[in-house]
Amino acid sequence: RSPYAVAKMYAYWITVNYREAYGMFACNGILFNHESPVRGETFVTRKITRAASKIALGLQAKLYLGNLDAKRDWGHAKDYVRMMWMILQADEPEDWVIATGKTTAVRDFVRMAFAYVGIELEFKGKGIDEVGYIKSIDQARMQTLSLDGKHLTAGTPVVAVDKRYFRPTEVDMLLGNPAKAEQKLGWKREYRLEELVNDMMASDLKLMQKDLYLKEGGYKIMSYFE
């Protein structure tokens, strides 16, 4: 449902053709969404973790997203890169699906990101009118992360839907089946989604603290989203 996906289909079949025509050890790794702290900031997962970190530090007021109901099969890039290596060690060249076998809504990814910094969210409304409010703040968690948090209050809207971020040809749900990789190659995931989110949040919180330092020093911080 996108130019990217169409190009992936070409890549898949040209690989199959070269393998069958010339006997090359050529494999397709069909990787579902894999994330890490170095994910580009325009991807929704990194946009979320950067924004949650900024909001916790007082550098940003609100996070704007598109379809909160979209569901994705998210895994940690570390697990997926390990599987890439395993594919190339197989006795025969084959095609493999690399996924977690679990799907999660964007809304729940947002909840996990804010929970890392001690903010519990509550969502109200539907569709483009849905808004995420601060339900409660865990001050002990804030202190553990050396966060001030004085600018945060319960009831404050921090997540909103913007129709400009909806895709013209949206895929509502992505879910992969990694059974073949698990059974034939013995691949097992080492990271749960919560651990992935925490990994990304820890990295972005440290990164945004540098921005806070610069802002307090009189420098203006610009980003793609401003």
Side-chain angles (χ1 to χ4, degrees):
R1 300 296 287 165
S2 69
Y4 174 79
V6 173
K8 284 289 188 180
M9 288 298 295
Y10 170 82
Y12 174 89
W13 285 112
I14 200 68
T15 300
V16 170
N17 273 280
Y18 268 87
R19 180 173 67 218
E20 294 180 351
Y22 301 108
M24 296 175 65
F25 193 100
C27 307
N28 279 300
I30 304 169
L31 281 65
F32 278 68
N33 299 61
H34 46 293
E35 317 294 325
S36 83
V38 294
R39 176 60 120 167
E41 66 180 82
T42 57
F43 287 84
V44 67
T45 50
R46 190 76 192 288
K47 179 180 177 180
I48 291 168
T49 57
R50 283 171 62 91
S53 298
K54 283 187 173 184
I55 290 170
L57 292 167
L59 292 171
Q60 183 172 321
K62 193 177 291 185
L63 165 63
Y64 292 91
L65 295 168
N67 183 10
L68 296 178
D69 291 316
K71 294 182 177 180
R72 296 292 181 263
D73 187 333
W74 280 302
H76 202 301
K78 288 183 178 180
D79 283 329
Y80 286 47
V81 171
R82 179 165 49 83
M83 177 56 185
M84 292 179 200
W85 180 84
M86 294 174 73
I87 287 172
L88 296 177
Q89 313 312 308
D91 293 333
E92 299 293 334
E94 297 183 60
D95 302 324
W96 307 84
V97 171
I98 310 177
T100 70
K102 296 182 179 180
T103 189
T104 304
V106 171
R107 183 186 299 101
D108 292 324
F109 193 102
V110 173
R111 282 197 177 100
M112 284 184 250
F114 277 87
Y116 180 84
V117 290
I119 300 173
E120 181 184 4
L121 295 181
E122 179 180 24
F123 287 87
K124 297 180 181 180
K126 293 183 178 180
I128 61 172
D129 297 319
E130 186 171 3
V131 177
Y133 298 88
I134 295 178
K135 182 178 182 181
S136 64
I137 302 170
D138 186 341
Q139 295 296 343
R141 177 61 179 165
M142 284 271 178
Q143 291 176 6
T144 299
L145 296 172
S146 299
L147 297 173
D148 189 313
K150 293 179 180 178
H151 61 286
L152 300 170
T153 56
T156 301
V158 290
V159 181
V161 174
D162 189 327
K163 62 181 181 181
R164 293 178 298 176
Y165 292 117
F166 280 77
R167 292 179 175 178
T169 52
E170 177 68 283
V171 178
D172 292 326
M173 184 180 79
L174 291 177
L175 178 62
N177 181 1
K180 178 181 175 181
E182 293 172 344
Q183 294 167 8
K184 296 191 70 173
L185 294 182
W187 178 70
K188 294 291 184 182
R189 288 188 303 130
E190 295 180 359
Y191 294 87
R192 294 179 295 107
L193 180 57
E194 293 82 356
E195 294 171 317
L196 164 63
V197 175
N198 290 348
D199 197 6
M200 294 178 69
M201 282 298 299
S203 177
D204 274 335
L205 193 59
K206 185 176 181 180
L207 184 65
M208 295 309 128
Q209 284 172 329
K210 294 179 181 179
D211 281 3
L212 179 62
Y213 178 79
L214 290 171
K215 182 180 179 181
E216 292 174 343
Y219 294 91
K220 181 172 176 58
I221 308 301
M222 299 294 292
S223 79
Y224 175 87
F225 302 105
E226 293 178 337

